[in-house]
Each structure stands twice: as C-alpha cells, then as structure tokens.
C-alpha cells in the first residue's frame, strides 16, 4: 500500500512539474491540496511524508476525526464540501480554509462561530460557473455581492473563488470555461485585492487549470488512488 502511494505521488509530481513547465508557470505559484476524503489517516501520513501539508475534506465528521488523529502534524485543512448549517461549529473548529461558501446564512453563522473560537479562517466563494442544477455554488453574477458581504465579516478572510468546471471530453471546452473563471476572478481582484486565490483543477483537469491560470489545485485520485 505504501509503495503504491509513493509511486502515485512520484507520478503526480512529475505530471505537475510538466504541466507547469508546459504553461511556463512556476511550481511555487501553485498550491496543491491533497484531497483525502474517504481515505485513511495512514495514507494522509504517507502523503505528508512526501511533502504535502494541505489536505482537503468534503465531509465534516471525517474532517473532525482526521484532524484529531493528526493533531501533531502541521497540516492545513481545507473544507471543500457542501456545508450544512448544523455542522458549522465543527467546520469552524477544524478547518483553516473553507472553499465552498455560497449562502449568506452560512457565511454569517461561520463568522459567528469563528468569533466564538477567536480565530480567523480563509474562505473562498464557490461559483457554479456552468450553472449546473446539480452543483453547489453561486451564479457568477452574484459574486461581487457575496464578496462584499464576506468583507464585512470580522473573522473571515476572503481569499478567492473555488470552481468545479463541468467535465468534458473536449479539453478545448474545458479550457474555455476555465478562461471564463480566470476572467471572473481577475475582475473580483480589482475590488478585492486580497482575494488572490483561484481554486481550480482536479485530477481530471489540473493541467488545463494550470494552463488557464489556476493557483490552487485540489487533487484526490492522482495522489491517493481511487476512492471506494
Ligand atoms: C473530490 C473533490 C476533488 C478531488 O477530485 P479528484 O478527481 O479525486 O482529484 C476536488 N474538489 C472537490 C470540490 C472535490 O469534491
């Protein structure tokens, strides 16, 4: 098992380096979140030994369990899943970043919890760039409004946007959507210069994302293998 994850990481590191080289991007300018959802703590330790320290989780109970088990590790936890209002306290307690904000009610509650815990967290707004009914995230035309709301919250640092472009077999289609995301983010930065993060790209499309200007990719399968 350990050999297999070390090999996967070796391959991923190679692909990542090539993607950066091909797009003339500096590797240091792109953060990698290792998405560890549905994988065991032991695999997270292996990835950590391989140099990863940003991990992404989608489910609150899993985040809680793993953060407790790995409390002696210097890990930055990113919550990237949908947030239910009754789980906000746990998210606020364990996450350093939340990528999936898309509702006013959740934003206000998260800020209140962070205040109670006396901590600040980094947040991104999830944008539903293709307006897919099945997906979370705001309509792009709501972005500035929600950003302004977050800026008024004492304990939330607005850091950017998170997008999950529609999967397509046509890489050119994907890139078109990603360029739209880049432009949307560039426009956001004009009025919110601290919102410097474009969280875009997963196993299936991180190369296109890097080419399109992403500076934070969220990769699960390429690092940890298939999820059950
Ligand atoms: C699961 C997940 C990922 C990782 O996807 P892979 O295909 O395993 O790389 C990235 N972002 C979000 C929001 C996810 O839910």
């Amino acid at each position: 098992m350990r050999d297999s994850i070390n090999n996967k990481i070796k391959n991923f590191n190679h692909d990542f380096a090539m993607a950066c080289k091909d797009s003339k991007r500096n590797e240091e300018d792109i953060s990698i979140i290792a998405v560890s959802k549905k994988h065991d703590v032991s695999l997270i330790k292996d990835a950590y030994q391989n140099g990863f320290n940003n991990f992404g989780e989608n489910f609150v109970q899993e985040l809680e369990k793993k953060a407790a088990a790995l409390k002696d590790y210097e890990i930055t936890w990113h919550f990237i899943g949908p947030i239910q209002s009754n789980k906000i306290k746990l998210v606020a307690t364990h996450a350093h970043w939340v990528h999936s904000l898309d509702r006013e009610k959740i934003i206000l509650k998260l800020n209140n919890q962070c205040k109670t815990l006396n901590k600040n967290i980094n947040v991104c707004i999830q944008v539903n760039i293709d307006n897919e009914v099945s997906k979370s995230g705001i309509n792009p035309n709501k972005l500035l409004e929600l950003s302004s709301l977050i800026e008024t919250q004492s304990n939330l640092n607005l850091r950017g946007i998170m997008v999950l472009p529609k999967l397509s077999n046509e890489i050119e289609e994907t890139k078109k959507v990603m360029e739209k995301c880049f432009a949307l983010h560039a426009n956001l930065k004009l009025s919110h210069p601290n919102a410097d993060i474009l969280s875009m790209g997963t196993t299936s499309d991180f190369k296109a994302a890097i080419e399109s200007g992403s500076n934070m990719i969220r990769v699960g399968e390429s690092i940890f293998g298939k999820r059950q």
Side-chain angles (χ1 to χ4, degrees):
M1 216 40 208
R2 179 155 296 160
D3 276 353
S4 117
I5 184 171
N6 287 345
N7 260 328
K8 281 200 184 71
I9 289 174
K10 217 163 98 184
N11 289 335
F12 167 75
N13 286 341
H14 175 262
D15 293 346
F16 173 70
M18 289 308 287
C20 291
K21 188 158 174 263
D22 289 349
S23 339
K24 303 192 165 55
R25 302 275 315 271
N26 288 323
E27 291 181 35
E28 304 78 56
D29 294 341
I30 302 161
S31 311
I32 302 165
I33 300 174
V35 177
S36 44
K37 65 179 177 219
K38 298 192 176 166
H39 288 294
D40 286 348
V41 165
S42 65
L43 286 184
I44 299 179
K45 289 182 182 172
D46 290 339
Y48 185 90
Q49 298 303 336
N50 277 279
F52 292 94
N53 46 28
N54 285 282
F55 290 91
E57 289 289 337
N58 289 55
F59 308 101
V60 178
Q61 272 93 352
E62 240 188 290
L63 171 65
E64 182 187 25
K65 225 174 61 195
K66 290 173 178 173
L70 296 163
K71 65 179 185 330
D72 297 330
Y73 289 66
E74 274 180 41
I75 288 178
T76 300
W77 291 105
H78 297 253
F79 191 75
I80 61 175
I83 309 178
Q84 292 162 284
S85 134
N86 59 343
K87 303 273 165 58
I88 286 184
K89 185 174 179 185
L90 286 175
V91 173
T93 302
H94 298 292
H96 304 98
W97 285 69
V98 174
H99 290 237
S100 42
L101 290 184
D102 65 357
R103 275 184 294 156
E104 174 171 348
K105 178 178 155 198
I106 300 289
I107 290 168
L108 302 178
K109 281 193 157 185
L110 184 62
N111 186 61
N112 275 335
Q113 282 297 339
C114 287
K115 241 192 247 175
T116 307
L117 295 163
N118 196 23
K119 70 183 272 198
N120 270 61
I121 60 176
N122 292 313
V123 300
C124 292
I125 295 174
Q126 183 170 356
V127 179
N128 187 353
I129 195 72
D130 300 298
N131 272 318
E132 290 175 274
V133 278
S134 61
K135 258 186 208 158
S136 314
I138 58 159
N139 185 299
N141 65 25
K142 292 267 158 56
L143 179 59
L144 291 178
E145 188 187 322
L146 214 59
S147 299
S148 299
L149 173 71
I150 292 176
E151 295 280 24
T152 63
Q153 306 299 303
S154 54
N155 293 56
L156 305 181
N157 309 330
L158 178 67
R159 291 302 306 275
I161 64 173
M162 190 267 264
V163 288
L164 261 170
K166 196 159 45 185
L167 288 181
S168 160
N169 293 325
E170 298 294 328
I171 196 68
E172 291 309 318
E173 277 306 304
T174 305
K175 276 188 202 160
K176 233 185 268 169
V177 175
M178 287 181 164
E179 276 156 26
K180 222 165 83 182
C181 298
F182 182 84
L184 186 73
H185 178 241
N187 185 56
L188 173 70
K189 276 194 296 184
L190 295 177
S191 47
H192 302 272
N194 294 329
D196 56 337
I197 294 298
L198 174 56
S199 170
M200 173 169 85
T202 66
T203 291
S204 46
D205 58 12
F206 72 83
K207 189 172 166 50
I210 289 171
E211 201 178 316
S212 308
S214 165
N215 55 13
M216 193 175 265
I217 60 175
R218 308 176 310 275
V219 179
E221 201 172 309
S222 270
I223 292 172
F224 294 104
K226 282 222 182 306
R227 291 178 285 273
Q228 306 88 329

